[in-house]
Amino acid sequence: MSKTILIAEDDQMMLSLLEFKLKKEGFVTILAENGKQAMEIIKKESPDLFLIDIMMPFINGLELTSFIRNELNSKVPIVVLSSAGQEEMVMKAFNLGANDFIPKPFSPNELIIRIKRILKL
Amino acid sequence: MSIYWLVDSYQAFPLLVKVLISLCLLFTVLGITFFALSGYSRILASINNRRREKIKHRYIELIIPLIFEESGTKEAYDKALHSFRKEFLGKRGRRQLLLNVLVEQHDDLSGEAAQRVRQVYIDLELFKDSFAKLKDYQWHIKVKGIRELAQMQVSEASKNIEGFIDSKNTILAKEALLGLVQLREFKALAYINRYRYELSDWQMLSILEVLSSFDRENIPSFARWLDSEKNSMVIFCLRLIAVFHQREAEYQVVKLLENKERSIRKEAVRTMRALQLNNHVDLIVGIYQTETKDVRLEILGAVGDLSMGEQKQFLEGEFLQPDFEISFAAAEALMKTSYNSKNDFKQLSASFDETHTRIIDHVTHEMLKS
Protein backbone atom coordinates (compact mmCIF):
# COMPACT_ATOMS: atom_id res chain seq x y z
CA MET A 1 0.00 0.00 0.00
CA SER A 2 1.23 3.50 -0.85
CA LYS A 3 2.50 5.59 2.00
CA THR A 4 0.91 8.98 2.58
CA ILE A 5 3.00 12.10 3.14
CA LEU A 6 1.68 15.38 4.41
CA ILE A 7 3.63 18.32 2.97
CA ALA A 8 3.35 21.61 4.84
CA GLU A 9 5.06 24.31 2.76
CA ASP A 10 4.02 27.93 2.14
CA ASP A 11 6.02 28.35 -1.07
CA GLN A 12 3.66 27.34 -3.86
CA MET A 13 6.48 26.40 -6.18
CA MET A 14 8.24 24.20 -3.65
CA LEU A 15 4.94 22.62 -2.68
CA SER A 16 4.19 21.69 -6.31
CA LEU A 17 7.72 20.44 -6.81
CA LEU A 18 7.61 18.18 -3.74
CA GLU A 19 4.15 16.95 -4.69
CA PHE A 20 5.28 16.07 -8.21
CA LYS A 21 8.42 14.27 -7.11
CA LEU A 22 6.74 12.32 -4.30
CA LYS A 23 3.79 11.29 -6.48
CA LYS A 24 6.23 10.17 -9.15
CA GLU A 25 7.84 7.92 -6.57
CA GLY A 26 4.48 6.37 -5.74
CA PHE A 27 3.60 8.26 -2.56
CA VAL A 28 0.20 9.72 -1.83
CA THR A 29 0.45 13.39 -0.90
CA ILE A 30 -1.67 15.69 1.20
CA LEU A 31 -0.87 19.37 0.79
CA ALA A 32 -1.03 22.21 3.30
CA GLU A 33 -0.04 25.76 2.38
CA ASN A 34 0.60 26.83 5.97
CA GLY A 35 0.87 25.47 9.49
CA LYS A 36 -2.71 26.26 10.39
CA GLN A 37 -4.06 24.36 7.42
CA ALA A 38 -1.74 21.46 8.26
CA MET A 39 -3.11 21.32 11.82
CA GLU A 40 -6.66 21.10 10.51
CA ILE A 41 -5.73 18.28 8.13
CA ILE A 42 -3.80 16.33 10.78
CA LYS A 43 -6.91 16.21 12.96
CA LYS A 44 -8.76 14.32 10.20
CA GLU A 45 -6.07 12.45 8.27
CA SER A 46 -3.30 10.17 9.48
CA PRO A 47 -0.28 10.38 7.17
CA ASP A 48 2.75 8.10 7.41
CA LEU A 49 5.24 10.98 7.39
CA PHE A 50 5.23 14.75 7.80
CA LEU A 51 7.40 16.91 5.57
CA ILE A 52 7.38 20.36 7.16
CA ASP A 53 8.99 23.63 6.14
CA ILE A 54 10.37 25.41 9.21
CA MET A 55 9.43 28.91 8.09
CA MET A 56 5.70 29.26 7.49
CA PRO A 57 3.21 32.04 8.19
CA PHE A 58 0.68 31.91 11.07
CA ILE A 59 1.95 28.66 12.61
CA ASN A 60 5.55 27.79 11.83
CA GLY A 61 7.19 24.40 11.46
CA LEU A 62 8.37 24.33 15.09
CA GLU A 63 4.88 24.96 16.43
CA LEU A 64 3.50 22.32 14.08
CA THR A 65 6.14 19.79 15.21
CA SER A 66 5.33 20.55 18.84
CA PHE A 67 1.60 20.14 18.11
CA ILE A 68 2.16 16.74 16.47
CA ARG A 69 4.40 15.42 19.24
CA ASN A 70 2.92 16.99 22.35
CA GLU A 71 -0.77 17.52 21.65
CA LEU A 72 -1.50 14.64 19.31
CA ASN A 73 1.12 12.39 20.93
CA SER A 74 1.85 11.12 17.44
CA LYS A 75 5.03 9.17 16.74
CA VAL A 76 4.73 9.59 12.97
CA PRO A 77 8.16 10.58 11.52
CA ILE A 78 8.74 14.29 10.91
CA VAL A 79 11.23 15.63 8.36
CA VAL A 80 11.84 19.39 8.42
CA LEU A 81 12.95 21.52 5.49
CA SER A 82 15.20 24.43 6.35
CA SER A 83 17.12 27.18 4.59
CA ALA A 84 20.67 28.36 5.24
CA GLY A 85 20.98 30.27 8.50
CA GLN A 86 18.19 28.35 10.26
CA GLU A 87 20.51 25.96 12.10
CA GLU A 88 19.23 27.08 15.48
CA MET A 89 15.64 26.38 14.45
CA VAL A 90 16.67 22.95 13.17
CA MET A 91 18.15 22.17 16.60
CA LYS A 92 14.89 23.26 18.22
CA ALA A 93 12.95 21.06 15.79
CA PHE A 94 15.10 18.06 16.78
CA ASN A 95 14.50 18.85 20.44
CA LEU A 96 10.78 18.92 19.76
CA GLY A 97 10.94 15.49 18.16
CA ALA A 98 11.76 15.90 14.45
CA ASN A 99 13.45 12.82 12.97
CA ASP A 100 15.49 14.37 10.17
CA PHE A 101 16.09 17.62 8.33
CA ILE A 102 16.77 18.55 4.73
CA PRO A 103 18.67 21.81 4.17
CA LYS A 104 17.80 23.92 1.12
CA PRO A 105 19.14 23.82 -1.54
CA PHE A 106 18.48 20.11 -1.71
CA SER A 107 18.51 17.35 -4.26
CA PRO A 108 15.00 15.88 -4.72
CA ASN A 109 16.58 12.45 -5.23
CA GLU A 110 18.34 12.71 -1.88
CA LEU A 111 15.05 13.73 -0.27
CA ILE A 112 13.38 10.60 -1.65
CA ILE A 113 16.21 8.38 -0.39
CA ARG A 114 15.95 9.89 3.08
CA ILE A 115 12.17 9.53 3.18
CA LYS A 116 12.36 5.91 2.03
CA ARG A 117 14.99 5.19 4.66
CA ILE A 118 12.85 6.69 7.41
CA LEU A 119 9.78 4.77 6.21
CA LYS A 120 11.93 1.63 5.85
CA LEU A 121 10.87 1.11 2.21
CA MET B 1 -34.72 75.30 -5.46
CA SER B 2 -33.18 75.90 -8.85
CA ILE B 3 -29.60 76.32 -9.96
CA TYR B 4 -30.29 80.05 -10.54
CA TRP B 5 -31.29 80.41 -6.92
CA LEU B 6 -28.04 78.75 -5.83
CA VAL B 7 -25.97 81.03 -8.10
CA ASP B 8 -27.83 84.14 -6.86
CA SER B 9 -27.35 83.11 -3.22
CA TYR B 10 -23.68 82.46 -3.83
CA GLN B 11 -23.18 85.87 -5.45
CA ALA B 12 -24.87 87.53 -2.51
CA PHE B 13 -22.27 86.19 -0.06
CA PRO B 14 -19.30 88.35 0.98
CA LEU B 15 -16.01 87.65 -0.85
CA LEU B 16 -14.41 85.73 2.05
CA VAL B 17 -17.38 83.35 2.31
CA LYS B 18 -17.30 82.89 -1.47
CA VAL B 19 -13.61 81.92 -1.30
CA LEU B 20 -14.26 79.49 1.56
CA ILE B 21 -17.20 77.86 -0.26
CA SER B 22 -15.09 77.55 -3.43
CA LEU B 23 -12.23 75.98 -1.49
CA CYS B 24 -14.60 73.52 0.22
CA LEU B 25 -16.04 72.53 -3.14
CA LEU B 26 -12.59 72.19 -4.67
CA PHE B 27 -11.26 69.98 -1.85
CA THR B 28 -14.42 67.85 -1.87
CA VAL B 29 -14.00 67.22 -5.59
CA LEU B 30 -10.27 66.52 -5.14
CA GLY B 31 -10.97 64.14 -2.24
CA ILE B 32 -13.58 62.19 -4.18
CA THR B 33 -11.25 61.99 -7.20
CA PHE B 34 -8.37 60.80 -5.01
CA PHE B 35 -10.44 58.07 -3.35
CA ALA B 36 -11.87 56.96 -6.69
CA LEU B 37 -8.38 56.76 -8.22
CA SER B 38 -6.80 54.95 -5.27
CA GLY B 39 -9.71 52.49 -5.17
CA TYR B 40 -9.35 51.92 -8.89
CA SER B 41 -5.59 51.39 -8.68
CA ARG B 42 -6.02 48.94 -5.77
CA ILE B 43 -8.57 46.94 -7.72
CA LEU B 44 -6.27 47.01 -10.74
CA ALA B 45 -3.27 45.89 -8.65
CA SER B 46 -5.27 43.08 -7.10
CA ILE B 47 -6.48 41.91 -10.56
CA ASN B 48 -2.89 42.03 -11.82
CA ASN B 49 -1.65 40.12 -8.78
CA ARG B 50 -4.28 37.45 -9.26
CA ARG B 51 -3.41 37.24 -12.95
CA ARG B 52 0.29 36.97 -12.14
CA GLU B 53 -0.36 34.24 -9.56
CA LYS B 54 -2.44 32.34 -12.11
CA ILE B 55 0.30 32.57 -14.74
CA LYS B 56 2.93 31.64 -12.16
CA HIS B 57 0.90 28.62 -11.15
CA ARG B 58 0.62 27.59 -14.79
CA TYR B 59 4.36 28.04 -15.26
CA ILE B 60 5.07 25.87 -12.25
CA GLU B 61 2.77 23.16 -13.62
CA LEU B 62 4.56 23.24 -16.95
CA ILE B 63 8.12 23.61 -15.74
CA ILE B 64 8.13 20.92 -13.04
CA PRO B 65 7.60 17.99 -15.45
CA LEU B 66 10.34 19.46 -17.66
CA ILE B 67 12.72 19.33 -14.71
CA PHE B 68 11.79 15.91 -13.40
CA GLU B 69 10.96 13.87 -16.48
CA GLU B 70 14.34 12.17 -16.48
CA SER B 71 13.00 9.49 -18.81
CA GLY B 72 11.53 11.93 -21.36
CA THR B 73 13.02 11.99 -24.87
CA LYS B 74 14.85 14.99 -26.32
CA GLU B 75 12.10 15.43 -28.91
CA ALA B 76 9.44 15.59 -26.21
CA TYR B 77 11.56 18.12 -24.27
CA ASP B 78 12.11 20.28 -27.38
CA LYS B 79 8.42 20.12 -28.25
CA ALA B 80 7.48 21.17 -24.73
CA LEU B 81 9.93 24.07 -24.88
CA HIS B 82 8.65 25.15 -28.27
CA SER B 83 5.02 25.26 -27.21
CA PHE B 84 6.05 26.96 -23.99
CA ARG B 85 7.95 29.63 -25.91
CA LYS B 86 5.11 30.16 -28.37
CA GLU B 87 2.34 30.22 -25.85
CA PHE B 88 3.82 32.15 -22.96
CA LEU B 89 7.01 33.99 -23.71
CA GLY B 90 5.76 36.68 -26.07
CA LYS B 91 5.20 39.31 -23.39
CA ARG B 92 8.08 40.81 -21.43
CA GLY B 93 6.23 40.68 -18.09
CA ARG B 94 5.54 37.00 -18.53
CA ARG B 95 9.15 36.28 -19.42
CA GLN B 96 10.28 37.99 -16.22
CA LEU B 97 7.77 36.01 -14.20
CA LEU B 98 9.12 32.76 -15.63
CA LEU B 99 12.67 33.94 -15.01
CA ASN B 100 11.79 34.58 -11.35
CA VAL B 101 10.25 31.11 -11.07
CA LEU B 102 13.38 29.47 -12.49
CA VAL B 103 15.83 31.49 -10.39
CA GLU B 104 13.86 30.68 -7.23
CA GLN B 105 13.78 26.99 -8.11
CA HIS B 106 17.48 26.93 -8.87
CA ASP B 107 18.14 28.53 -5.50
CA ASP B 108 16.17 25.83 -3.64
CA LEU B 109 17.49 22.82 -5.53
CA SER B 110 20.82 21.12 -5.94
CA GLY B 111 22.29 18.32 -8.02
CA GLU B 112 20.67 17.12 -11.20
CA ALA B 113 17.40 18.97 -10.59
CA ALA B 114 19.25 22.30 -10.34
CA GLN B 115 21.12 21.48 -13.55
CA ARG B 116 17.84 20.84 -15.32
CA VAL B 117 16.38 24.16 -14.14
CA ARG B 118 19.47 25.86 -15.51
CA GLN B 119 19.11 24.02 -18.80
CA VAL B 120 15.52 25.24 -19.20
CA TYR B 121 16.74 28.81 -18.52
CA ILE B 122 19.44 28.44 -21.18
CA ASP B 123 17.23 26.67 -23.73
CA LEU B 124 14.50 29.28 -23.42
CA GLU B 125 17.22 31.91 -23.94
CA LEU B 126 16.20 33.76 -20.82
CA PHE B 127 19.87 34.61 -20.22
CA LYS B 128 19.40 37.26 -22.94
CA ASP B 129 16.91 39.02 -20.66
CA SER B 130 19.42 38.85 -17.80
CA PHE B 131 22.20 40.25 -20.01
CA ALA B 132 19.88 43.05 -21.17
CA LYS B 133 19.36 44.05 -17.53
CA LEU B 134 23.09 44.73 -17.19
CA LYS B 135 22.67 47.53 -19.75
CA ASP B 136 19.71 49.14 -18.01
CA TYR B 137 20.23 52.68 -16.70
CA GLN B 138 18.75 51.82 -13.28
CA TRP B 139 21.23 50.27 -10.84
CA HIS B 140 18.71 47.97 -9.16
CA ILE B 141 17.83 46.39 -12.51
CA LYS B 142 21.55 45.84 -13.12
CA VAL B 143 21.77 44.14 -9.71
CA LYS B 144 18.86 41.89 -10.65
CA GLY B 145 20.64 40.92 -13.87
CA ILE B 146 23.88 40.14 -11.98
CA ARG B 147 22.00 37.97 -9.48
CA GLU B 148 20.19 36.03 -12.22
CA LEU B 149 23.34 35.39 -14.23
CA ALA B 150 25.34 34.41 -11.15
CA GLN B 151 22.60 32.17 -9.77
CA MET B 152 22.28 30.43 -13.13
CA GLN B 153 26.05 30.05 -13.48
CA VAL B 154 26.35 31.85 -16.81
CA SER B 155 30.14 32.00 -16.67
CA GLU B 156 30.34 34.08 -19.89
CA ALA B 157 28.76 36.93 -17.91
CA SER B 158 31.80 37.46 -15.69
CA LYS B 159 33.37 39.80 -18.27
CA ASN B 160 30.20 41.92 -18.36
CA ILE B 161 29.92 41.99 -14.57
CA GLU B 162 33.62 42.74 -14.00
CA GLY B 163 33.23 46.42 -14.86
CA PHE B 164 30.67 47.00 -12.11
CA ILE B 165 33.07 46.25 -9.26
CA ASP B 166 34.54 49.71 -9.84
CA SER B 167 31.12 51.35 -9.76
CA LYS B 168 30.62 54.42 -7.61
CA ASN B 169 27.37 52.82 -6.50
CA THR B 170 28.57 50.69 -3.56
CA ILE B 171 25.57 48.32 -3.66
CA LEU B 172 26.14 47.60 -7.34
CA ALA B 173 29.86 47.08 -6.70
CA LYS B 174 29.14 44.68 -3.81
CA GLU B 175 26.67 42.67 -5.87
CA ALA B 176 29.11 42.52 -8.78
CA LEU B 177 31.85 41.19 -6.51
CA LEU B 178 29.57 38.53 -5.03
CA GLY B 179 28.36 37.62 -8.52
CA LEU B 180 31.95 37.18 -9.69
CA VAL B 181 32.70 34.92 -6.73
CA GLN B 182 29.70 32.76 -7.64
CA LEU B 183 30.86 32.56 -11.25
CA ARG B 184 34.64 32.37 -10.95
CA GLU B 185 34.94 30.62 -7.60
CA PHE B 186 38.39 31.01 -6.03
CA LYS B 187 39.71 32.83 -9.09
CA ALA B 188 37.53 35.76 -8.02
CA LEU B 189 39.91 36.52 -5.15
CA ALA B 190 41.98 38.55 -7.59
CA TYR B 191 38.94 40.81 -8.06
CA ILE B 192 38.60 41.22 -4.31
CA ASN B 193 42.15 42.49 -4.19
CA ARG B 194 41.44 45.16 -6.81
CA TYR B 195 38.00 46.00 -5.38
CA ARG B 196 38.08 49.71 -4.56
CA TYR B 197 36.17 49.50 -1.26
CA GLU B 198 37.08 47.83 2.03
CA LEU B 199 35.16 44.59 2.57
CA SER B 200 32.54 44.71 5.32
CA ASP B 201 32.10 41.81 7.76
CA TRP B 202 28.78 41.01 6.13
CA GLN B 203 30.39 40.88 2.68
CA MET B 204 33.13 38.58 3.98
CA LEU B 205 30.50 36.26 5.42
CA SER B 206 28.49 36.22 2.18
CA ILE B 207 31.59 35.49 0.08
CA LEU B 208 32.80 32.86 2.54
CA GLU B 209 29.43 31.14 2.38
CA VAL B 210 29.62 30.99 -1.42
CA LEU B 211 33.26 29.81 -1.41
CA SER B 212 32.48 27.10 1.16
CA SER B 213 30.05 25.51 -1.27
CA PHE B 214 32.71 24.95 -3.96
CA ASP B 215 34.83 21.90 -4.60
CA ARG B 216 37.75 21.99 -2.15
CA GLU B 217 40.19 20.44 -4.59
CA ASN B 218 41.02 23.68 -6.38
CA ILE B 219 41.62 25.91 -3.39
CA PRO B 220 44.55 28.27 -3.92
CA SER B 221 46.98 29.24 -1.19
CA PHE B 222 45.41 32.32 0.43
CA ALA B 223 48.72 33.38 1.99
CA ARG B 224 49.69 35.07 -1.26
CA TRP B 225 47.21 37.88 -0.54
CA LEU B 226 48.38 38.43 3.02
CA ASP B 227 50.70 41.21 1.89
CA SER B 228 47.83 43.09 0.24
CA GLU B 229 47.73 46.82 0.94
CA LYS B 230 44.04 46.57 1.72
CA ASN B 231 43.44 45.70 5.38
CA SER B 232 40.08 44.05 4.80
CA MET B 233 41.64 41.80 2.15
CA VAL B 234 44.29 40.66 4.64
CA ILE B 235 41.64 40.01 7.30
CA PHE B 236 39.49 38.14 4.79
CA CYS B 237 42.41 35.96 3.72
CA LEU B 238 43.20 35.18 7.35
CA ARG B 239 39.60 34.05 7.77
CA LEU B 240 39.86 31.93 4.63
CA ILE B 241 43.11 30.38 5.93
CA ALA B 242 41.31 29.53 9.18
CA VAL B 243 38.18 28.11 7.48
CA PHE B 244 40.10 26.06 4.93
CA HIS B 245 42.71 25.12 7.52
CA GLN B 246 45.79 26.14 5.52
CA ARG B 247 48.48 25.37 8.11
CA GLU B 248 51.17 25.90 5.50
CA ALA B 249 50.50 29.65 5.90
CA GLU B 250 51.80 29.47 9.49
CA TYR B 251 54.88 31.65 8.94
CA GLN B 252 53.01 34.46 7.16
CA VAL B 253 50.21 34.40 9.76
CA VAL B 254 52.63 34.66 12.68
CA LYS B 255 54.48 37.48 10.90
CA LEU B 256 51.25 39.51 10.91
CA LEU B 257 51.49 39.84 14.70
CA GLU B 258 53.95 42.65 13.88
CA ASN B 259 51.49 44.45 11.59
CA LYS B 260 50.77 48.06 12.54
CA GLU B 261 47.03 47.58 12.08
CA ARG B 262 45.33 46.41 15.29
CA SER B 263 42.47 44.58 13.52
CA ILE B 264 44.98 42.53 11.50
CA ARG B 265 46.95 41.53 14.62
CA LYS B 266 43.71 40.53 16.29
CA GLU B 267 42.65 38.42 13.31
CA ALA B 268 46.11 36.84 13.14
CA VAL B 269 45.77 35.65 16.77
CA ARG B 270 42.30 34.31 15.96
CA THR B 271 43.68 32.46 12.93
CA MET B 272 46.54 30.99 14.99
CA ARG B 273 43.92 29.72 17.41
CA ALA B 274 41.87 28.18 14.58
CA LEU B 275 44.96 26.55 13.08
CA GLN B 276 45.96 25.21 16.52
CA LEU B 277 49.45 26.74 16.26
CA ASN B 278 50.36 25.84 19.86
CA ASN B 279 54.09 26.21 19.23
CA HIS B 280 53.66 30.02 19.22
CA VAL B 281 51.89 30.49 22.56
CA ASP B 282 54.98 32.08 24.15
CA LEU B 283 55.12 34.56 21.29
CA ILE B 284 51.53 35.78 21.69
CA VAL B 285 51.93 35.98 25.46
CA GLY B 286 55.10 37.99 24.82
CA ILE B 287 53.27 40.70 22.88
CA TYR B 288 50.32 40.76 25.32
CA GLN B 289 51.45 43.71 27.42
CA THR B 290 51.93 46.00 24.42
CA GLU B 291 48.55 45.16 22.92
CA THR B 292 45.16 46.89 22.98
CA LYS B 293 42.34 45.42 25.06
CA ASP B 294 40.52 43.65 22.22
CA VAL B 295 43.75 41.97 21.04
CA ARG B 296 44.49 40.99 24.65
CA LEU B 297 41.07 39.33 24.92
CA GLU B 298 41.77 37.43 21.73
CA ILE B 299 45.16 36.33 23.11
CA LEU B 300 43.57 35.10 26.35
CA GLY B 301 41.08 33.07 24.32
CA ALA B 302 43.88 31.62 22.19
CA VAL B 303 45.99 30.76 25.25
CA GLY B 304 42.98 28.91 26.66
CA ASP B 305 42.76 26.81 23.52
CA LEU B 306 46.44 26.36 22.68
CA SER B 307 48.32 26.22 25.98
CA MET B 308 48.89 22.98 27.90
CA GLY B 309 49.07 24.67 31.28
CA GLU B 310 52.46 26.33 30.97
CA GLN B 311 50.87 29.80 31.01
CA LYS B 312 49.16 29.27 34.36
CA GLN B 313 51.04 32.06 36.14
CA PHE B 314 50.35 34.57 33.37
CA LEU B 315 46.65 33.71 33.37
CA GLU B 316 46.41 33.95 37.15
CA GLY B 317 47.90 37.42 37.01
CA GLU B 318 45.35 38.50 34.41
CA PHE B 319 42.49 36.95 36.35
CA LEU B 320 43.30 39.21 39.30
CA GLN B 321 43.04 42.33 37.11
CA PRO B 322 40.19 44.72 37.96
CA ASP B 323 38.94 44.78 34.35
CA PHE B 324 35.90 42.48 34.18
CA GLU B 325 36.35 41.26 30.58
CA ILE B 326 40.06 40.55 31.00
CA SER B 327 39.50 38.77 34.30
CA PHE B 328 36.64 36.73 32.84
CA ALA B 329 38.62 35.67 29.74
CA ALA B 330 41.61 34.70 31.94
CA ALA B 331 39.37 32.67 34.28
CA GLU B 332 37.91 30.81 31.29
CA ALA B 333 41.42 30.09 29.98
CA LEU B 334 42.52 28.89 33.43
CA MET B 335 39.60 26.45 33.56
CA LYS B 336 40.52 25.13 30.12
CA THR B 337 44.21 24.70 30.81
CA SER B 338 45.08 24.44 34.53
CA TYR B 339 42.14 24.49 36.93
CA ASN B 340 39.39 22.00 37.69
CA SER B 341 37.27 23.58 40.41
CA LYS B 342 36.56 26.61 42.60
CA ASN B 343 39.21 25.44 45.08
CA ASP B 344 41.95 26.10 42.54
CA PHE B 345 40.98 29.78 42.51
CA LYS B 346 41.12 29.93 46.31
CA GLN B 347 44.88 29.44 46.16
CA LEU B 348 45.15 32.93 44.64
CA SER B 349 43.49 34.86 47.46
CA ALA B 350 41.71 34.27 50.76
CA SER B 351 38.76 36.34 49.58
CA PHE B 352 37.63 37.88 46.32
CA ASP B 353 35.52 40.95 45.60
CA GLU B 354 31.97 40.46 44.30
CA THR B 355 32.94 40.65 40.58
CA HIS B 356 35.66 38.03 40.87
CA THR B 357 33.43 35.79 42.97
CA ARG B 358 30.76 35.94 40.27
CA ILE B 359 33.29 35.16 37.57
CA ILE B 360 34.54 32.12 39.53
CA ASP B 361 30.96 30.92 40.10
CA HIS B 362 30.24 31.27 36.41
CA VAL B 363 33.32 29.56 34.97
CA THR B 364 33.22 26.70 37.48
CA HIS B 365 29.53 26.03 36.91
CA GLU B 366 29.08 22.35 36.07
CA MET B 367 27.07 23.07 32.94
CA LEU B 368 29.80 25.27 31.47
CA LYS B 369 32.67 22.86 32.08
CA SER B 370 33.95 21.37 28.87
Side-chain angles (χ1 to χ4, degrees):
Chain A
M1 209 178 101
S2 303
K3 298 279 185 185
T4 305
I5 297 178
L6 184 138
I7 315 167
E9 165 68 79
D10 63 312
D11 180 357
Q12 181 66 52
M13 197 159 60
M14 186 50 71
L15 189 65
S16 306
L17 191 145
L18 292 167
E19 182 194 13
F20 184 89
K21 188 69 185 171
L22 289 166
K23 274 187 175 169
K24 205 165 167 254
E25 294 292 328
F27 293 102
V28 175
T29 54
I30 306 170
L31 309 182
E33 289 182 14
N34 55 58
K36 202 176 167 197
Q37 207 182 337
M39 274 187 185
E40 295 302 316
I41 296 170
I42 296 165
K43 285 174 191 166
K44 295 176 215 152
E45 309 270 351
S46 43
D48 299 296
L49 185 139
F50 295 101
L51 186 56
I52 300 170
D53 183 27
I54 280 199
M55 290 301 279
M56 284 191 291
F58 311 122
I59 290 169
N60 68 27
L62 294 180
E63 288 165 303
L64 188 57
T65 305
S66 167
F67 175 76
I68 295 166
R69 288 286 182 260
N70 302 326
E71 304 214 7
L72 297 180
N73 285 321
S74 167
K75 289 193 167 63
V76 171
I78 299 172
V79 178
V80 291
L81 288 166
S82 72
S83 301
Q86 292 177 348
E87 290 76 11
E88 209 173 307
M89 291 186 88
V90 171
M91 296 298 283
K92 281 183 187 165
F94 273 121
N95 284 332
L96 288 168
N99 299 70
D100 200 357
F101 90 103
I102 310 275
K104 291 180 193 172
F106 66 92
S107 152
N109 291 335
E110 190 191 326
L111 172 81
I112 297 299
I113 291 168
R114 288 214 205 184
I115 287 176
K116 283 184 175 171
R117 199 196 61 201
I118 292 169
L119 293 173
K120 298 191 170 77
L121 295 175
Chain B
M1 194 167 62
S2 67
I3 187 83
Y4 298 110
W5 180 83
L6 276 174
V7 172
D8 286 345
S9 306
Y10 176 77
Q11 282 174 346
F13 287 132
L15 182 64
L16 184 66
V17 178
K18 276 187 195 172
V19 170
L20 284 174
I21 290 171
S22 304
L23 282 173
C24 281
L25 281 171
L26 177 71
F27 283 116
T28 308
V29 170
L30 282 176
I32 291 167
T33 315
F34 173 76
F35 278 112
L37 279 176
S38 66
Y40 175 72
S41 67
R42 282 187 73 173
I43 291 167
L44 210 65
S46 133
I47 291 170
N48 278 337
N49 268 344
R50 246 178 284 157
R51 194 183 295 158
R52 261 199 298 270
E53 280 304 309
K54 215 172 154 186
I55 298 168
K56 190 178 168 182
H57 200 75
R58 180 85 182 112
Y59 279 166
I60 293 167
E61 279 177 0
L62 288 166
I63 288 290
I64 286 174
L66 277 181
I67 299 165
F68 288 123
E69 284 302 351
E70 290 101 342
S71 53
T73 61
K74 189 172 183 318
E75 286 76 27
Y77 174 79
D78 288 343
K79 201 177 162 191
L81 280 190
H82 179 72
S83 56
F84 200 90
R85 209 175 279 137
K86 205 173 151 191
E87 200 179 339
F88 296 104
L89 297 185
K91 289 184 183 173
R92 200 177 157 193
R94 290 189 173 191
R95 289 178 72 89
Q96 186 53 48
L97 200 58
L98 176 64
L99 224 162
N100 293 345
V101 167
L102 291 174
V103 170
E104 275 178 50
Q105 276 192 345
H106 194 268
D107 194 28
D108 281 339
L109 297 170
S110 67
E112 203 185 331
Q115 281 304 316
R116 281 171 174 264
V117 174
R118 181 182 180 275
Q119 201 51 52
V120 173
Y121 168 82
I122 299 290
D123 291 341
L124 288 175
E125 297 184 330
L126 290 168
F127 58 88
K128 288 183 180 171
D129 298 51
S130 305
F131 271 111
K133 287 189 186 106
L134 300 184
K135 289 180 183 156
D136 199 282
Y137 69 96
Q138 297 177 92
W139 67 266
H140 66 275
I141 304 285
K142 286 187 175 111
V143 166
K144 199 163 168 51
I146 292 171
R147 285 186 181 174
E148 288 168 3
L149 291 161
Q151 175 69 45
M152 290 302 190
Q153 288 294 302
V154 183
S155 52
E156 297 81 3
S158 52
K159 276 185 189 155
N160 306 58
I161 297 172
E162 220 181 290
F164 296 125
I165 66 166
D166 294 321
S167 170
K168 281 181 187 162
N169 182 322
T170 52
I171 301 173
L172 183 58
K174 277 179 191 172
E175 289 289 340
L177 188 63
L178 192 61
L180 284 169
V181 174
Q182 282 174 280
L183 291 172
R184 308 227 42 199
E185 304 189 5
F186 292 101
K187 286 179 190 159
L189 288 169
Y191 294 111
I192 301 178
N193 203 24
R194 68 161 248 228
Y195 181 63
R196 64 193 280 184
Y197 306 102
E198 290 288 344
L199 292 170
S200 66
D201 277 345
W202 178 249
Q203 247 181 313
M204 289 188 205
L205 270 177
S206 311
I207 296 172
L208 203 58
E209 194 193 338
V210 175
L211 290 177
S212 304
S213 65
F214 295 136
D215 187 359
R216 296 196 169 204
E217 276 178 21
N218 304 315
I219 303 173
S221 167
F222 302 119
R224 78 167 97 149
W225 288 289
L226 286 181
D227 55 0
S228 167
E229 285 173 13
K230 200 156 71 183
N231 292 341
S232 61
M233 180 69 187
V234 178
I235 290 171
F236 185 53
C237 280
L238 282 169
R239 288 180 188 174
L240 288 171
I241 287 167
V243 170
F244 292 97
H245 218 77
Q246 293 190 337
R247 268 194 84 120
E248 61 275 18
E250 176 179 348
Y251 172 75
Q252 290 99 316
V253 174
V254 173
K255 192 97 181 90
L256 287 174
L257 293 176
E258 296 164 15
N259 195 287
K260 62 175 191 287
E261 184 57 43
R262 176 195 54 82
S263 56
I264 291 178
R265 295 196 305 275
K266 184 179 166 185
E267 199 61 43
V269 175
R270 197 177 284 174
T271 308
M272 289 170 72
R273 187 177 174 183
L275 295 178
Q276 291 288 306
L277 300 180
N278 40 19
N279 47 333
H280 297 289
V281 177
D282 287 342
L283 183 66
I284 54 172
V285 171
I287 62 165
Y288 182 86
Q289 294 303 336
T290 57
E291 275 302 348
T292 54
K293 185 178 164 183
D294 57 340
V295 182
R296 284 183 181 194
L297 288 169
E298 204 58 54
I299 291 174
L300 289 170
V303 171
D305 276 357
L306 305 176
S307 160
M308 302 294 286
E310 66 274 17
Q311 300 299 336
K312 186 179 162 196
Q313 212 179 343
F314 158 70
L315 292 173
E316 285 173 343
E318 291 313 300
F319 167 69
L320 294 170
Q321 295 295 318
D323 185 301
F324 173 80
E325 286 175 275
I326 295 284
S327 177
F328 189 90
E332 280 192 314
L334 275 169
M335 283 303 289
K336 280 184 181 174
T337 59
S338 317
Y339 287 2
N340 291 311
S341 66
K342 255 182 204 179
N343 286 337
D344 294 318
F345 283 95
K346 284 179 185 163
Q347 301 162 17
L348 297 176
S349 168
S351 65
F352 290 108
D353 60 20
E354 198 190 334
T355 308
H356 284 87
T357 309
R358 277 187 179 181
I359 291 171
I360 294 168
D361 284 345
H362 185 86
V363 297
T364 55
H365 196 285
E366 282 302 317
M367 283 175 74
L368 293 171
K369 277 187 184 174
S370 50

